[in-house]
Amino acid sequence: MLLPERTVERLSEYRRSLLQWLEEGKTHIYSHELAALHHNTAVQVRRDIMFIGYTSMQRKGYDVKELVGVIEETLDSKKGLNVAVIGVGNLGKAITTYFVGKRSKLNIIATFDVDTNKIDRVMSGVKCYPMNRLGEIIRSENISIAIMTVPVDAAREVAKQLVEEGIRGILNFTTAPLRVGPDVYLEEYDMVTSLEKVAYFVKMADR
Amino acid sequence: MLLPERTVERLSEYRRSLLQWLEEGKTHIYSHELAALHHNTAVQVRRDIMFIGYTSMQRKGYDVKELVGVIEETLDSKKGLNVAVIGVGNLGKAITTYFVGKRSKLNIIATFDVDTNKIDRVMSGVKCYPMNRLGEIIRSENISIAIMTVPVDAAREVAKQLVEEGIRGILNFTTAPLRVGPDVYLEEYDMVTSLEKVAYFVKMADR
């Protein structure tokens, strides 16, 4: 059964809070506590968690460790997935540094750029390759996901290349809306839209 | 009338495409063309646009320039809004460079950091201030929106400070879920969740 996108998002967010909860030495959590951390309702939390087959909430709440385990089984792939970052500007650097070592099941193992000054450099343990080695490295390193942080003008061409070389999922940080075939999962994130959203609600609150 | 969050997101995305359309010298666009650019249906596009009071679709489609104008009036604040970036690491740098000059109605006019080496430096025309001048600069520069790119450990404290100093909207790029009062609009973006979402759908497609 394929979970809805929003459910996947929420489960990922719950896990983040649950791991923090564990770090703080807490072993149990109530649905309303988890809900409060995520601007959510306890009903929604219980529904999401029931959806992935975990129901053993007791008087003291969910067992945090167990729940993390169930979310892990649901979201993560057993062997882990290899990820490449395409475009090593400030954003590409931020993302690479940010992710390396953070989530053991998602490994950033290569970056790509067209700038010859960047090629062969190693950042946070990740090597930068030239774009003309994209297909070769995707295959040899078994990379299935690409994070796109290239300039907007290059976005469509790069996406086309990624799809041709067998990439299965793309996280697009450029402002260019992309089109990929049904075999590739595309997630687009536009910072301008997020900021415009904040600006709109600030403007409306000021009226 | 306050638009739903999703509608605001879509309008922002439409505008981006419409501006590109204009650049390419096209004067009209059909709802199904706009829909195709955004993985959307023509019905949804027409509903969104009707929602903001624009209905003059003719045989040749919407007048792109007019439509951009209506979206502008809906989303933008007339005087523009001033924005600060809190935390000048790679991500803060990427965001500042990215936004400066891009959207004339949203001006990044200050960055803040605790690192004394960064203070007083100017990047893309934007000066970096020490955190202890936060309140002063927010008031003197009339800053209403903050983009948070601080380390996760500092996130809660920084958010608290921002709210106390009168910030009206926060775009949170840290992985810490925040809580703010009802007077502050909070938009949270977690890169880990986006990547985990891509990974989940890639995993499920492989089954």
Side-chain angles (χ1 to χ4, degrees):
Chain A
M1 177 200 57
L2 201 63
L3 297 172
E5 296 199 8
R6 298 267 154 216
T7 309
V8 173
E9 275 176 29
R10 286 194 300 268
L11 290 172
S12 161
E13 287 161 7
Y14 297 162
R15 166 159 63 180
R16 194 183 60 197
S17 301
L18 293 169
L19 288 172
Q20 178 125 24
W21 208 259
L22 273 183
E23 253 180 48
E24 292 165 9
K26 299 168 190 162
T27 58
H28 287 75
I29 192 167
Y30 290 107
S31 52
H32 69 84
E33 290 174 310
L34 196 47
L37 291 171
H38 294 283
H39 320 284
N40 203 337
T41 62
V43 170
Q44 178 71 66
V45 166
R46 286 197 295 269
R47 192 185 298 148
D48 288 334
I49 289 173
M50 232 161 22
F51 215 39
I52 57 171
Y54 189 66
T55 46
S56 70
M57 179 149 96
Q58 290 149 7
R59 227 171 258 179
K60 47 188 177 167
Y62 295 110
D63 181 309
V64 178
K65 220 170 181 170
E66 267 181 38
L67 183 49
V68 167
V70 176
I71 294 178
E72 232 166 63
E73 259 174 57
T74 307
L75 296 189
D76 296 350
S77 103
K78 274 212 182 70
K79 301 166 304 180
L81 291 171
N82 291 339
V83 180
V85 172
I86 321 294
V88 190
N90 280 320
L91 186 58
K93 274 186 219 164
I95 288 173
T96 306
T97 318
Y98 180 85
F99 275 115
V100 165
K102 194 149 275 183
R103 292 271 303 104
S104 59
K105 292 292 183 182
L106 292 171
N107 317 304
I108 294 188
I109 52 163
T111 62
F112 290 87
D113 208 287
V114 289
D115 181 349
T116 48
N117 290 317
K118 290 176 182 165
I119 287 154
D120 285 336
R121 288 217 188 158
V122 175
M123 184 181 44
S124 307
V126 183
K127 193 172 160 187
C128 183
Y129 296 93
M131 281 302 284
N132 60 19
R133 294 185 63 194
L134 190 65
E136 172 205 335
I137 304 293
I138 284 176
R139 280 180 291 277
S140 69
E141 301 290 334
N142 193 23
I143 293 168
S144 51
I145 294 174
I147 300 177
M148 278 182 52
T149 50
V150 297
V152 61
D153 302 335
R156 274 174 207 178
E157 185 52 36
V158 166
K160 202 172 144 244
Q161 255 180 289
L162 287 169
V163 171
E164 280 167 6
E165 301 298 358
I167 279 290
R168 310 293 316 282
I170 294 176
L171 177 49
N172 176 24
F173 276 100
T174 79
T175 53
L178 300 177
R179 294 173 97 172
V180 296
D183 294 342
V184 177
Y185 182 82
L186 174 68
E187 170 80 7
E188 306 204 75
Y189 178 69
D190 183 359
M191 290 192 284
V192 176
T193 289
S194 290
L195 191 59
E196 288 189 345
K197 214 169 132 188
V198 175
Y200 171 78
F201 288 103
V202 166
K203 171 183 101 160
M204 295 307 279
D206 278 346
R207 285 203 168 165
Chain B
M1 177 200 57
L2 201 62
L3 297 172
E5 296 199 8
R6 298 266 156 220
T7 308
V8 173
E9 275 175 29
R10 286 194 300 267
L11 289 172
S12 161
E13 288 161 6
Y14 297 162
R15 167 159 61 182
R16 194 183 59 197
S17 301
L18 292 169
L19 288 171
Q20 179 125 22
W21 208 258
L22 274 183
E23 253 179 48
E24 293 165 8
K26 299 169 192 162
T27 58
H28 288 76
I29 192 167
Y30 290 108
S31 53
H32 68 85
E33 290 174 311
L34 196 48
L37 291 171
H38 294 283
H39 321 283
N40 203 336
T41 63
V43 171
Q44 179 71 67
V45 166
R46 285 198 295 269
R47 193 184 296 147
D48 288 336
I49 290 173
M50 232 164 16
F51 215 39
I52 57 170
Y54 188 65
T55 45
S56 71
M57 180 150 97
Q58 289 148 9
R59 229 172 254 179
K60 46 188 179 170
Y62 294 110
D63 180 309
V64 178
K65 219 169 181 175
E66 268 181 38
L67 184 48
V68 167
V70 177
I71 295 178
E72 232 165 65
E73 258 174 56
T74 307
L75 296 190
D76 296 350
S77 104
K78 274 213 183 70
K79 301 165 303 179
L81 291 171
N82 291 338
V83 180
V85 172
I86 320 294
V88 190
N90 280 321
L91 186 57
K93 274 185 220 163
I95 288 173
T96 306
T97 318
Y98 180 86
F99 275 114
V100 165
K102 193 150 276 183
R103 292 268 305 104
S104 60
K105 292 293 184 181
L106 292 172
N107 318 302
I108 294 189
I109 53 164
T111 63
F112 291 87
D113 208 288
V114 289
D115 181 348
T116 49
N117 291 317
K118 290 176 182 165
I119 286 154
D120 286 335
R121 288 216 188 158
V122 174
M123 185 182 44
S124 308
V126 182
K127 192 172 159 187
C128 184
Y129 296 94
M131 280 302 284
N132 60 20
R133 294 185 63 193
L134 191 64
E136 173 205 334
I137 304 292
I138 284 176
R139 280 181 291 277
S140 69
E141 301 290 332
N142 194 23
I143 293 169
S144 51
I145 295 175
I147 300 177
M148 279 182 51
T149 49
V150 297
V152 61
D153 302 336
R156 274 176 208 179
E157 184 53 36
V158 167
K160 201 170 146 246
Q161 256 180 289
L162 288 168
V163 171
E164 280 168 6
E165 302 298 357
I167 279 290
R168 310 293 314 283
I170 295 176
L171 176 49
N172 175 26
F173 277 100
T174 78
T175 52
L178 300 176
R179 294 172 97 171
V180 295
D183 294 342
V184 178
Y185 182 82
L186 174 68
E187 170 81 7
E188 306 204 75
Y189 178 70
D190 183 359
M191 290 192 281
V192 176
T193 290
S194 290
L195 191 59
E196 288 189 346
K197 215 169 130 188
V198 176
Y200 171 76
F201 288 103
V202 166
K203 171 182 100 160
M204 295 307 280
D206 278 345
R207 284 203 167 167

